[in-house]
Each structure stands twice: as C-alpha cells, then as structure tokens.
Amino acid sequence: MRKLLRRGAAAFAAAASLVLMSLNATPAQADSSAIASGMTWTVLAKGTNGTIRVGADSATDAYNGDTAATATLPMLCLRVNGSAVPGGITPDFYAGWARGTVAATPPVLGKSLTSRATADAICAQYYGADWREAEFHDGRYGANLEASGGWSFWAYGYVPDGTRFWTAINDQPSQPLELR
C-alpha cells in the first residue's frame, strides 16, 4: 500500500508541474514501437442547455492508442450524478448519455497515468472527490439508460474545441502504460 501511495504522490507531482502548460497542447511524435500510446478523444459537438458530445474521431485509435505516452494533454474527467437526458438528445449505442458533467484537467504527462486510481485522483484533485477519468463506455442508452455503449457520449460541461484529451478504455490496451 505504501508503494502505491508513493507512486500516486509521484504522479501528482508530475501532473502539478504541468499545470501551467497550455490546454491546446498537441500530441508528441514518437516511435510507437518504443513508447506506449494512449487513446485520446476530442469535442464532437455542442448541444443546447450546456451539453457537449465528446468522443472518438478519425485520429482516435481505441485499440492501440493514438498518442505517445510522452505527450502532455488534458485528461477528460466525468462526474456521474444521475442527470436525466435533456430534451434534444436521443441516446444510442454510439452517442449515449453519461448522466453527468465533463471537464478537462490541465495538461498531464501520459506516462504519469500509471493506474486508473492515479488518473481518478487527478480528476478529484481538480474538481472534487466525486470526479473520475471518463471512460470509453460511459455513454448509456435504452429505456432506463440500462445499456452501455461506446465511441462517444453526451454530458453537461465544457471542454475547449480543438483539444485532444486522454480518455480511459477498460477493455483495450490503448492507455499510457496499459492503464485498464
């Protein structure tokens, strides 16, 4: 447990040193065979009433990762609070409703994301204890939002346009340092 706490503290220190960097950071170019990669998402659409759709675009590689872990990018955070689906959004498998709010952290070095617990702690540091890293399957659909989809989701919140951000995926090795 102490070892895990020390690693978490080191990750926080690395993330804190990057706070002053721009939210418009771009992925680093690197030899993908030598450096682990992570999956990134972007803003796909903005709706009414403060809603936003985030998800995969043509640059996203959900299976192998699309951005070297040496890149410094914001991380997508989510607070699930049971928000009902707002009018104008019809959730489906590819564009579900996340039942909450999203926000982006200041830029974080991908290779500092050594576990989901570390990533979740960074979200909690910036936004509060009930925030965690957003995950590929957070979009829900169906009569009572009982089914989980993928590739994108709608939520309340604000994330800057033109920004890529680290997003978790729980069933593929496409996270920096295989975060799953």
Side-chain angles (χ1 to χ4, degrees):
M1 182 59 119
R2 287 184 187 146
K3 188 174 182 180
L4 283 172
L5 290 173
R6 273 187 246 126
R7 271 196 260 161
F12 274 118
S17 70
L18 300 170
V19 170
L20 299 177
M21 296 185 72
S22 164
L23 277 176
N24 290 320
T26 57
Q29 299 299 313
D31 176 3
S32 62
S33 65
I35 299 170
S37 294
M39 182 188 73
T40 62
W41 275 11
T42 193
V43 174
L44 300 176
K46 291 187 177 180
T48 59
N49 301 324
T51 59
I52 185 170
R53 183 176 170 206
V54 292
D57 64 1
S58 63
T60 301
D61 184 341
Y63 303 103
N64 302 299
D66 51 76
T67 303
T70 54
T72 302
L73 299 171
M75 191 171 58
L76 184 66
C77 298
L78 173 67
R79 179 179 61 117
V80 176
N81 61 8
S83 297
V85 180
I89 294 176
T90 304
D92 63 28
F93 181 89
Y94 296 103
W97 175 246
R99 303 167 295 156
T101 304
V102 291
T105 66
V108 175
L109 180 63
K111 65 184 181 178
S112 72
L113 301 174
T114 57
S115 71
R116 282 295 300 275
T118 299
D120 292 348
I122 293 169
C123 289
Q125 173 190 2
Y126 288 106
Y127 299 111
D130 52 348
W131 287 77
R132 62 170 172 79
E133 184 179 21
E135 199 271 332
F136 182 93
H137 302 95
D138 277 327
R140 309 294 295 184
Y141 69 101
N144 295 310
L145 301 177
E146 73 278 354
S148 175
W151 298 100
S152 77
F153 62 74
W154 286 94
Y156 289 109
Y158 171 78
V159 179
D161 289 334
T163 301
R164 300 204 69 76
F165 32 83
W166 302 116
T167 305
I169 185 166
N170 64 15
D171 62 357
Q172 297 295 324
S174 61
Q175 293 279 272
L177 305 179
E178 305 239 356
L179 263 183
R180 288 187 282 160

